[in-house]
């Protein structure tokens, strides 16, 4: 993906506030050289942030007539307004080793024995993974095939076929669960007792 940034000369809280009023977003580019203060068009950035690939792939940033590859590292939103307040990008090249969260795309769930035969629902315990790789190897997402999932057996990190050069960071957990089937809960049917018929004759009042 490609986006356009402009050099930002003024710094400070007041300057950033004026930028936001003018429909701009202050930002910074760091890594592999001196940090560069930038500004971006708010609406363009706001819509770009809605795209999954903008968060998990190499981006081509056009700045001052030159194109540089960067990664989105962080962004700050207004507490209650749909407004981007700030964004951080990291300058990288193909050989830069990076650590980045990548989303998981699940496929084959509906044809798995757990769902098709045993009518389980699948709980996606993890929806993204923290990985390390070279920048040129960074995938936009990792595909997780659930077609072989069976009742009573979970899918773990070691069961995923990872792209070449990708390593998962598990923070000490040897083999975390990715997805697990949940068996349907049997509904308890409560049968109300039939009212007892009164066969006796009503006594007449004397």
């Amino acid at each position: 993906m490609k986006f356009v940034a402009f050099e930002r000369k003024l710094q400070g809280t007041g300057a950033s506030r004026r930028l936001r009023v003018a429909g701009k977003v202050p930002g910074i580019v760091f890594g592999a050289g001196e940090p560069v203060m930038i500004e971006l068009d708010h609406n363009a950035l706001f819509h770009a942030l809605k795209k999954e690939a903008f968060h998990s792939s190499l981006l081509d940033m056009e700045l001052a007539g030159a194109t540089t590859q960067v990664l989105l590292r962080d962004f700050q939103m207004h507490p209650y307004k749909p407004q981007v307040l700030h964004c951080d990008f990291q300058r990288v090249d193909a050989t830069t080793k990076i650590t980045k969260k990548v989303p998981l795309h699940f496929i084959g769930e509906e044809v798995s024995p757990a769902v098709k035969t045993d009518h389980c629902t699948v709980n996606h315990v993890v929806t993204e993974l923290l990985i390390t790789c070279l920048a040129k190897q960074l995938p936009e997402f990792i595909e997780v095939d659930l077609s072989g999932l069976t009742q009573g057996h979970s899918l773990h990190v070691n069961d995923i076929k990872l792209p070449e050069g990708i390593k998962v960071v598990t923070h000490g957990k040897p083999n975390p669960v990715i997805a697990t089937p949940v068996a349907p809960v049997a509904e308890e049917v409560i049968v109300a007792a039939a009212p007892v018929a009164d066969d006796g004759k009503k006594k007449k009042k004397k």
Side-chain angles (χ1 to χ4, degrees), residues 7 13 16 33 41 70 81 84-85 102 111 141 149 160 163 166:
E7 291 185 7
T13 303
S16 295
D41 178 77
V70 298
K81 294 180 182 179
V84 188
L85 299 179
V102 175
V111 298
F141 60 87
L149 197 64
I160 300 176
I166 305 298

Side-chain angles (χ1 to χ4, degrees), residues 12-27 42 76 78 83-87:
T13 303
S16 295
R17 187 182 299 113
R18 288 190 292 272
L19 272 179
R20 296 183 186 110
V21 171
K24 305 291 184 180
V25 180
H42 178 272
Q76 182 184 358
H78 192 279
Q83 181 183 14
V84 188
L85 299 179
H86 194 274
C87 56

Side-chain angles (χ1 to χ4, degrees), residues 98-171:
I98 59 174
T99 301
K100 184 79 171 162
K101 285 185 177 180
V102 175
L104 301 179
H105 286 190
F106 296 93
I107 63 169
E109 181 176 318
E110 65 282 354
V111 298
S112 67
V115 174
K116 191 172 183 179
T117 304
D118 298 315
H119 308 292
C120 296
T121 56
V122 178
N123 179 20
H124 299 161
V125 180
V126 175
T127 57
E128 60 183 11
L129 287 176
L130 184 65
I131 65 169
T132 60
C133 63
L134 297 179
K136 65 180 180 180
Q137 297 171 320
L138 179 66
E140 290 186 15
F141 60 87
I142 294 175
E143 193 171 80
V144 180
D145 187 1
L146 298 177
S147 60
L149 197 64
T150 57
Q151 184 175 353
H153 297 86
S154 298
L155 188 82
H156 295 76
V157 165
N158 291 349
D159 300 320
I160 300 176
K161 186 177 180 181
L162 296 171
E164 184 179 355
I166 305 298
K167 292 184 178 180
V168 178
V169 180
T170 59
H171 296 298

Side-chain angles (χ1 to χ4, degrees), residues 60-87:
D60 292 323
M61 180 186 69
E62 184 180 324
L63 177 66
T67 299
T68 305
Q69 285 195 316
V70 298
L71 284 173
L72 175 66
R73 277 305 185 184
D74 196 14
F75 66 97
Q76 182 184 358
M77 298 293 296
H78 192 279
Y80 56 87
K81 294 180 182 179
Q83 181 183 14
V84 188
L85 299 179
H86 194 274
C87 56

